[in-house]
């Protein structure tokens, strides 16, 4: 299985702080994606990083990918209460996405 | 229109009932997916339809029967479910089914299913 493993499982921070989530996976990938899920709802795509990329930015999001260590990190800067959600990394093999276990982020006002 | 819609939002059914979940997208995507998600767990892939043909079945029990009537619609027919099948069922679509695709998946809001 190439399922990702997020770390930490849960993270609690104050508004304005940065949040870092890590993801490790087991097999070679085509790309790695990060999704956000608000409580009990559908997932929203945040950012995609290809296997030949090392870093990518999108607004307050910064993603890194280290294929030699089979790991990725998601940094959310200047967090807001609205960032409270579960965050999943998803690795793409040939044709399917496999989701990691997720990190639950709580941002307190 | 960049939305995937799912109906119903909530469904309660008995173990002898037959019901269907519906999913629709109008983005011209050629791949559609069904996922099952239990509480505090990641989504688990159930089925993939590629160009309206079933391409992946992740060993899902036959009491779940997918159907893709056309390129915009995806159904999941439910029959003789068990209480452990209670979960959030998510539909998703992507532009390109596979290969060296870099496409993201667009998810619907899900159907919360409870089997009594």
């Amino acid at each position: 299985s190439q399922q990702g493993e997020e770390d930490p499982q849960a993270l609690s921070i104050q508004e304005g702080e940065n949040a870092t989530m890590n993801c490790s996976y087991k097999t070679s990938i085509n790309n790695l994606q990060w999704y956000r899920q608000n409580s009990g709802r559908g997932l929203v795509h945040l950012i995609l990083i290809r296997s030949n990329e090392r870093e990518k930015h999108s607004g307050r999001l910064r993603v890194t990918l280290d294929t030699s260590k089979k790991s990725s990190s998601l940094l959310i800067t200047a967090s807001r209460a609205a960032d409270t959600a579960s965050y999943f990394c998803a690795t793409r093999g040939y044709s399917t996405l496999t989701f990691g276990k997720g990190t639950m982020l709580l941002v307190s006002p | 229109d960049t939305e995937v819609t799912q109906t119903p939002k909530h469904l309660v059914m008995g173990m002898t009932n037959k019901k269907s979940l519906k999913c629709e997208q109008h983005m011209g995507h050629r791949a559609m997916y069904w996922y099952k998600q239990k509480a505090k767990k990641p989504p688990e892939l159930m089925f993939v339809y590629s160009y309206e043909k079933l391409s992946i079945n992740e060993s899902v029990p036959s009491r779940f029967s997918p159907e893709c009537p056309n390129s915009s619609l995806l159904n999941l027919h439910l029959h003789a479910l068990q209480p452990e099948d209670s979960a959030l069922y998510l539909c998703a679509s992507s532009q390109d089914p596979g290969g060296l695709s870099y496409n993201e998946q667009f998810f619907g809001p899900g159907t919360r299913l409870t089997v009594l």
Side-chain angles (χ1 to χ4, degrees):
Chain A
S1 169
Q2 60 179 22
Q3 184 178 37
E5 296 275 342
E6 278 92 338
D7 168 44
Q9 290 187 343
L11 181 60
S12 183
I13 60 174
Q14 299 289 317
E15 263 191 329
E17 295 179 340
N18 295 341
T20 299
M21 288 160 266
N22 302 298
C23 169
S24 60
Y25 57 92
K26 297 179 182 178
T27 62
S28 61
I29 60 172
N30 181 301
N31 62 65
L32 186 145
Q33 304 177 28
W34 285 90
Y35 287 80
R36 183 187 75 225
Q37 184 177 34
N38 290 88
S39 179
R41 300 187 60 88
L43 282 78
V44 175
H45 180 266
L46 294 177
I47 195 166
L48 180 154
I49 187 165
R50 300 182 183 192
S51 58
N52 62 353
E53 296 177 315
R54 291 296 168 260
E55 185 172 317
K56 203 163 183 179
H57 296 255
S58 177
R60 294 184 295 111
L61 305 180
R62 172 178 171 257
V63 170
T64 63
L65 179 65
D66 187 336
T67 52
S68 66
K69 295 181 179 179
K70 292 187 170 56
S71 67
S72 173
S73 68
L74 171 67
L75 169 67
I76 304 174
T77 60
S79 63
R80 307 165 181 167
D83 295 328
T84 294
S86 292
Y87 292 82
F88 294 93
C89 70
T91 50
R92 173 140 187 153
Y94 184 77
S95 62
T96 60
L97 280 181
T98 303
F99 287 86
K101 295 181 179 179
T103 293
M104 293 181 62
L105 175 65
L106 173 64
V107 183
S108 302
Chain B
D1 185 358
T2 59
E3 190 179 13
V4 176
T5 59
Q6 289 188 244
T7 56
K9 291 185 179 179
H10 301 276
L11 178 62
V12 179
M13 59 185 292
M15 289 189 286
T16 59
N17 293 155
K18 286 185 180 181
K19 297 288 184 181
S20 297
L21 309 184
K22 297 185 183 301
C23 173
E24 191 167 3
Q25 57 89 12
H26 294 287
M27 294 177 278
H29 289 175
R30 303 317 303 267
M32 296 186 77
Y33 312 80
W34 279 115
Y35 290 86
K36 174 183 177 180
Q37 186 179 26
K38 302 284 274 187
K40 299 188 178 182
K41 297 289 186 183
E44 294 180 350
L45 183 66
M46 300 174 71
F47 303 103
V48 180
Y49 270 82
S50 172
Y51 295 95
E52 302 159 50
K53 295 191 186 306
L54 183 65
S55 62
I56 294 176
N57 176 342
E58 292 286 2
S59 302
V60 179
S62 60
R63 57 186 184 268
F64 296 91
S65 175
E67 178 196 20
C68 189
N70 60 55
S71 60
S72 300
L73 293 174
L74 185 66
N75 298 323
L76 185 63
H77 302 299
L78 314 173
H79 175 55
L81 294 193
Q82 303 297 311
E84 59 264 30
D85 296 322
S86 298
L88 180 69
Y89 288 83
L90 295 162
C91 173
S93 69
S94 65
Q95 185 175 4
D96 192 314
L100 295 177
S101 168
Y102 296 106
N103 298 145
E104 64 188 270
Q105 290 187 12
F106 291 78
F107 282 80
T111 294
R112 176 75 59 188
L113 174 67
T114 302
V115 182
L116 300 176

